[in-house]
Amino acid sequence: MEVATCASSLHYCSWNNLEKIGFGSKVNGFLNFSQRCNDGQTMIVLNSKDLQWRGLKTKTKFVDFQLSCAYKNSPSVETRNAPAVESETNNTSVDEALVLRRKAQDVGPDLSGRCIYLVGMMGSGKTTVGKILSEVLGYSFFDSDKLVEQAVGATSVAQIFKQHSEKFFRDNESKVLGELATMRRLVVATGGGAVIRPINWKYMKQGITVWLDVPLEALARRIAAVGTGSRPLLHEGSGDAYTQALKRLSHLSEERGEVYANADARVCLEHIAYKLGLGDVADLTPSAIAIEVQQSFFSIFPFA
């Protein structure tokens, strides 16, 4: 059963009965899930060598594939208000939707099923942008942090850091990325620190890596607004939430900045905002950022 091309109205299906994740151990190369939609029960099989969709139903549909239950597809491409960074709602104008689909048609065939890995600091919008890209390209979406949480039976990255250690989390993160590297047609939102281990780059470089470069001040504002509870590396220091977040982010940026530059392409939000005549990157829509990610592919491969 082939995944249909993204349409302006998408069907939302909730995921139930997660049978086996299989990360860290081989289970015949497959990940099995039960998917319940309005029209009945469908068994989806994900082949780790070549992503395939097999169903008991013969009706073709667009399916939102994810392990995280936090995301719902939007019913239309009508414009809605949402911040550009790490929003759970897609703010997509009709014009942006058309550009996204046109560019997807242009680059899709030449991607040849390569996986796309989004890297960048925490709060840079990797998950939001990744979901948009996966929809228009007909790819499946994974959040590597969510996969690690489910693989070790935790509810958050912060819990893993607290109950185990950062090294324990990083070890499992590498296992997850290693499994994903055996698959095709995926968009993967990586954790902010995934770039610090060379082995992770070995896995990610089997696909395409794109760095979402966001000004630290914008990241600090966003993180301060929602709280640092889910960000274990930001719990150090004193002062108000913004000052604390900015100080810690600055330190992390010094450690990781050069490593992020190993990505195949860099998408700079300040540049996008300037090009669109916007005074603040917070005014960018996630779709505008996704369009720039698609455009960056042309600098990586000699598309026809």
Side-chain angles (χ1 to χ4, degrees):
M1 178 176 66
E2 297 294 329
V3 179
T5 303
C6 179
S8 62
S9 180
L10 307 179
H11 301 284
Y12 169 67
C13 300
S14 61
W15 292 90
N16 303 303
N17 304 325
L18 181 62
E19 296 179 3
K20 194 134 184 111
I21 294 178
F23 289 113
S25 62
K26 294 290 184 180
V27 189
N28 298 324
F30 290 91
L31 307 178
N32 300 321
F33 303 88
S34 293
Q35 176 207 19
R36 184 178 297 279
C37 299
N38 294 333
D39 57 352
Q41 183 77 17
T42 303
M43 176 62 71
I44 301 297
V45 178
L46 176 60
N47 187 321
S48 65
K49 294 187 179 297
D50 189 8
L51 193 64
Q52 300 176 3
W53 298 85
R54 303 173 185 173
L56 302 179
K57 300 290 182 181
T58 57
K59 181 180 179 181
T60 301
K61 66 178 68 178
F62 184 94
V63 183
D64 168 35
F65 181 81
Q66 59 170 15
L67 292 179
S68 167
C69 297
Y71 175 67
K72 294 184 179 180
N73 279 322
S74 56
S76 68
V77 294
E78 296 175 357
T79 303
R80 289 168 295 172
N81 294 324
V85 180
E86 285 289 318
S87 167
E88 286 298 329
T89 304
N90 294 349
N91 183 17
T92 309
S93 70
V94 173
D95 288 343
E96 287 176 337
L98 292 175
V99 173
L100 279 166
R101 283 158 179 73
R102 184 169 64 248
K103 286 189 177 294
Q105 292 173 351
D106 291 340
V107 305
D110 293 295
L111 288 174
S112 301
R114 295 179 182 90
C115 293
I116 300 166
Y117 296 87
L118 300 180
V119 302
M121 293 286 284
M122 62 183 77
S124 60
K126 301 182 294 289
T127 296
T128 304
V129 173
K131 288 171 179 175
I132 295 173
L133 288 171
S134 69
E135 288 179 357
V136 297
L137 291 171
Y139 275 34
S140 297
F141 174 78
F142 282 104
D143 181 319
S144 65
D145 281 354
K146 296 296 182 184
L147 292 179
V148 174
E149 290 169 10
Q150 296 198 34
V152 303
T155 59
S156 68
V157 174
Q159 181 188 8
I160 298 173
F161 273 56
K162 183 177 180 179
Q163 293 184 353
H164 300 280
S165 65
E166 180 178 359
K167 182 182 183 302
F168 178 84
F169 172 82
R170 298 297 175 201
D171 289 344
N172 281 277
E173 180 179 56
S174 294
K175 291 178 182 179
V176 163
L177 291 173
E179 289 286 343
L180 294 176
T182 67
M183 304 179 191
R184 294 170 57 81
R185 300 183 63 82
L186 304 179
V187 176
V188 180
T190 65
V195 296
I196 64 179
R197 286 193 171 185
I199 187 62
N200 294 344
W201 281 107
K202 178 181 178 181
Y203 296 141
M204 294 189 293
K205 283 293 187 175
Q206 296 183 43
I208 302 169
T209 53
V210 181
W211 172 23
L212 298 188
D213 187 7
V214 185
L216 297 181
E217 294 79 5
L219 292 177
R221 286 198 302 269
R222 190 271 159 186
I223 292 172
V226 300
T228 61
S230 62
R231 313 284 185 180
L233 294 180
L234 296 184
H235 287 309
E236 302 175 8
S238 58
D240 63 272
Y242 171 79
T243 302
Q244 181 179 338
L246 181 59
K247 182 178 180 180
R248 186 58 181 152
L249 286 169
S250 297
H251 178 69
L252 291 173
S253 180
E254 291 177 2
E255 292 180 343
R256 302 173 181 174
E258 294 184 0
V259 187
Y260 286 131
N262 289 327
D264 297 309
R266 173 189 176 216
V267 173
C268 177
L269 269 63
E270 282 187 315
H271 174 72
I272 304 172
Y274 176 80
K275 185 170 67 173
L276 297 178
L278 301 175
D280 194 326
V281 297
D283 296 327
L284 289 170
T285 64
S287 294
I289 301 170
I291 289 170
E292 287 298 315
V293 173
Q294 289 179 309
Q295 185 64 33
S296 74
F297 296 154
F298 290 98
S299 67
I300 302 173
F301 299 106
F303 293 100

